[in-house]
Amino acid sequence: MLEIRNLHAQVAEAGKEILRGIDLTVNPGEVHAIMGPNGSGKSTLANIIAGRDVYEVTDGSITLNGEDLLEMEPEDRAHKGVFMAFQYPVEIPGVSNTYFLRAAVNAKRKANGQDEIPTQEFMKFIRSKIELLHLPQDLLTRSVNEGFSGGEKKRNEIFQMAVLEPVLGVLDETDSGLDIDALKTVAEGVNALRSPERSFVVVTHYQRLLNYIVPDFVHILKDGKIVRSGGKELALELEEKGYGWLEENLAGAK
Amino acid sequence: MSSAVLTYEARYEDVYRHAQSLAAGGPDWLRSLRSAALAQHQTLGIPTPKNEEWKYTPLRTVAEMDVRPAEPGSALFDVTLPSWSGSKSRIVLVNGRFDRNLSEVPAVPGLQVSSIVNALIESDGLLTLHLGKIASTEDHTFAALNTALFEDGVVVHLSKGAEVPEVLEIVHVTEGDAMIVAPRVLIVAEENSRVQIVETYVTNGNATSVTIPVTEVVVHPYANVEHVRVQDEAVTNHHIALWQVHQHRDSEYRSYNVAFGASLGRTDQNIYLDGEHIVTRLDGVVVANGDQLLDNHTKLDHAKPNCNSFEIYKQIVDDRATVVFNGKIFVHQDAQKTDAKQTNQALLLSPTATIDSKPQLEIFADDVKCTHGATVGQLEELPLFYMKQRGVPHEQAQAILVYAFAAEVLELISNDEVKHNLEARLFTKLGIED
């Protein structure tokens, strides 16, 4: 479903290369974890999939179900089913979650040749998602992320993902800054959205999140390259031995 | 000073002749008020940008019009007159004249609404007491001209303790070309009275006149007045206004200056805090696009101790438009324990848009809290990306963020209908659909 081939990218303004040849295949229903030390390029990869233009792709390709994502604007990618949960969700004072989501849902429907969703039907739909994720009702009326705690912001990301029903969910360090209870809530939300058609790319620094969102594959990113891939046990090994082990291991392999 | 005024006298000849004939009629006090005002106006002239107060607002187009006095408007309207509150009752003035057919005055005990013409016939003491006494015409050439020229207008009087449950709407219509239109309003809120007023300026079609309104407001002790002013004239018209408020002790006055219209729009809002324990709000939402120039000057005089004032101006500038903000706060020597906050934020949406912003605080008391902050910015990349990532198209994402920026001030308006209708108008002004 998601095919990344020989992806090279740099920061558009600084010209510093961050990704140096990434290859990744994600099939429908799979959960792939991307782990790596700070500065390895894992957040950059997530942002490039979503289409943030502060990064410049210098080589390689990303396709989603055979379509070239790199040719698309972020909103077009969203309409094709790409969703990124932000590491730092943005506050938008004065715009309610409901208004924002209705604009997003209707834009997606329009792009896919559907009529706008009637207001009542939409309200019913988002309330069902609130219930599914066990979230408080006032999330609907509050301004997008304004004054939210770190945990509330991340929960709101998962809620938005539930409403937008993506085919590919990219979680950019969704666990950062969360205590264990908030982490569990967020993970339960993601698990509730897992399905044979929906894939996830979970970017994380720590193995902790992967106890709750159990991945099918784990990839370790270092200096802009995937240096190891394996099953979920690779995350445990990494947790046990630390990123330092990776250094030695790689040095030994040479 | 001769270099600081424009040559325009010949083009204003008809207007001055009319002013002289007006100054020959009416009661003594009015005749001398008008003569003095005309003399003031002629001394001040029409300033050039060399005059500091008009530095960013060129009046050349106003000086170069062959103008005539305002004629009565037609009874035929192809404008739907705005009613922000949805209330049926409202007061309508066309070219400065109280229009009985279009007006419906709400019947509320303690509220008297009268045309200035009628008030003069009835020798209303309120006029002699306040008209022309609040507005400072000596340094505002167009307010002086208004005083020399107004044909009629409206007087709103709230008796002691009167409470008006519905929003009192005053709609000013300018109709026609090349006229000097001088709407005049006097609002007096007696002790412990309470009212919400929405004053709106519109044009019938694409008028190309110069509207020069003067609104005088007196707020007596314990009175509570909310005053929304909406300037939504066609972008062909010129609008140069003085809005002056005199607050007495323990009064509260909250004002919202909404400026969307006119090709050149300038409003001077002056508030004099003449007593202790006064609360004042003077907020603004300004949206200029196309080739508009919208200039707002505010002046707060903290004359007495223990008063609070809050000022937030939100300004959005697009295309080739210019927005000017000048916010003066004077804290007099006697005004200890003053708490004054001024914030002015501008959003530039195009590389050819201009903002000139000048906060001006002069503090002569030593135990005060005065803060001001001015920011000029563009829409940030990250919130835009966030919204687009969720599927909201670029243009719409931009519009929602701009809307949210301005709505922060409109949110403060207490009447929900007024707030929502103004927010809807903000949407259309920004060129977006709900």
Side-chain angles (χ1 to χ4, degrees), chain A residues 188-215:
Chain A
E188 279 164 16
V190 173
N191 289 331
L193 299 177
R194 283 178 80 159
S195 84
E197 296 80 35
R198 184 173 293 143
S199 312
F200 289 91
V201 172
V202 181
V203 170
T204 181
H205 188 86
Y206 302 103
Q207 185 271 339
R208 192 175 68 147
L209 178 68
L210 306 179
N211 288 334
Y212 303 99
I213 305 174
V214 180

Side-chain angles (χ1 to χ4, degrees), chain A residues 3-147:
Chain A
E3 295 276 355
I4 300 176
R5 289 286 162 266
N6 189 34
L7 186 71
H8 288 255
Q10 58 185 29
V11 176
E13 282 177 13
K16 181 178 169 253
E17 188 163 58
I18 301 173
L19 298 184
R20 302 187 299 151
I22 302 276
D23 289 282
L24 182 67
T25 301
V26 179
N27 294 309
E30 290 176 354
V31 175
H32 288 242
I34 310 277
M35 300 184 71
N38 292 331
S40 60
K42 56 190 191 300
S43 270
T44 300
L45 177 62
N47 277 274
I48 286 174
I49 295 170
R52 189 154 182 215
D53 64 5
V54 297
Y55 303 104
E56 186 188 342
V57 173
T58 51
D59 200 5
S61 66
I62 307 179
T63 59
L64 185 73
N65 295 323
E67 289 188 277
D68 184 357
L69 277 190
L70 296 177
E71 283 298 305
M72 296 180 202
E73 293 296 317
E75 56 267 43
D76 300 327
R77 299 181 198 204
H79 300 157
K80 296 288 180 192
V82 176
F83 182 96
M84 180 173 83
F86 281 50
Q87 182 177 5
Y88 304 107
V90 179
E91 297 193 11
I92 312 174
V95 179
S96 78
N97 250 334
T98 301
Y99 179 87
F100 178 44
L101 280 171
R102 195 154 68 97
V105 166
N106 280 332
K108 187 175 178 180
R109 290 173 71 102
K110 198 175 162 193
N112 294 319
Q114 294 171 285
D115 286 337
E116 288 197 354
I117 186 168
T119 307
Q120 277 194 323
E121 195 182 316
F122 178 72
M123 292 311 293
K124 226 173 120 182
F125 172 66
I126 54 174
R127 285 203 190 97
S128 73
K129 298 297 181 185
I130 287 275
E131 279 165 30
L132 173 75
L133 302 173
H134 308 291
L135 296 171
Q137 288 280 344
D138 72 348
L139 200 59
L140 299 176
T141 47
R142 292 172 73 181
S143 289
V144 180
N145 296 322
E146 190 190 22

Side-chain angles (χ1 to χ4, degrees), chain A residues 131-185:
Chain A
E131 279 165 30
L132 173 75
L133 302 173
H134 308 291
L135 296 171
Q137 288 280 344
D138 72 348
L139 200 59
L140 299 176
T141 47
R142 292 172 73 181
S143 289
V144 180
N145 296 322
E146 190 190 22
F148 283 29
S149 70
E152 284 177 322
K153 281 182 182 170
K154 298 298 171 73
R155 278 200 291 267
N156 195 22
E157 293 292 277
I158 304 305
F159 168 58
Q160 294 189 28
M161 182 162 73
V163 171
L164 291 167
E165 302 180 314
V167 296
L168 175 68
V170 179
L171 275 53
D172 183 14
E173 306 215 21
T174 292
D175 51 333
S176 69
L178 294 189
D179 61 36
I180 193 69
D181 290 330
L183 184 82
K184 276 185 191 166
T185 315

Side-chain angles (χ1 to χ4, degrees), chain B residues 262-308:
Chain B
S263 109
L264 181 154
R266 161 75 177 251
T267 300
D268 285 56
Q269 187 190 16
N270 302 339
I271 305 185
Y272 197 92
L273 282 62
D274 193 12
E276 293 193 46
H277 308 294
I278 287 171
V279 176
T280 306
R281 274 213 89 94
L282 57 164
D283 295 337
V285 175
V286 182
V287 183
N289 47 26
D291 292 298
Q292 283 184 287
L293 187 156
L294 297 180
D295 178 354
N296 290 282
H297 276 50
T298 65
K299 187 174 95 176
L300 263 178
D301 272 285
H302 275 272
K304 301 281 163 65
N306 298 309
C307 295
N308 296 336

Side-chain angles (χ1 to χ4, degrees), chain B residues 136-201:
Chain B
S136 32
T137 52
E138 66 283 353
D139 55 7
H140 197 294
T141 188
F142 295 98
L145 187 58
N146 174 297
T147 303
L149 278 181
F150 70 84
E151 304 273 348
D152 192 1
V154 62
V155 186
V156 174
H157 184 216
L158 287 120
S159 308
K160 248 185 197 179
E163 285 198 26
V164 185
E166 57 187 304
V167 176
L168 186 63
E169 296 215 33
I170 304 171
V171 182
H172 299 271
V173 185
T174 290
E175 187 187 36
D177 302 322
M179 292 186 296
I180 301 285
V181 177
R184 187 87 185 196
V185 177
L186 173 64
I187 298 163
V188 180
E190 300 290 354
E191 267 189 56
N192 206 26
S193 60
R194 178 181 274 270
V195 68
Q196 295 169 39
I197 295 168
V198 182
E199 209 188 340
T200 306
Y201 291 85

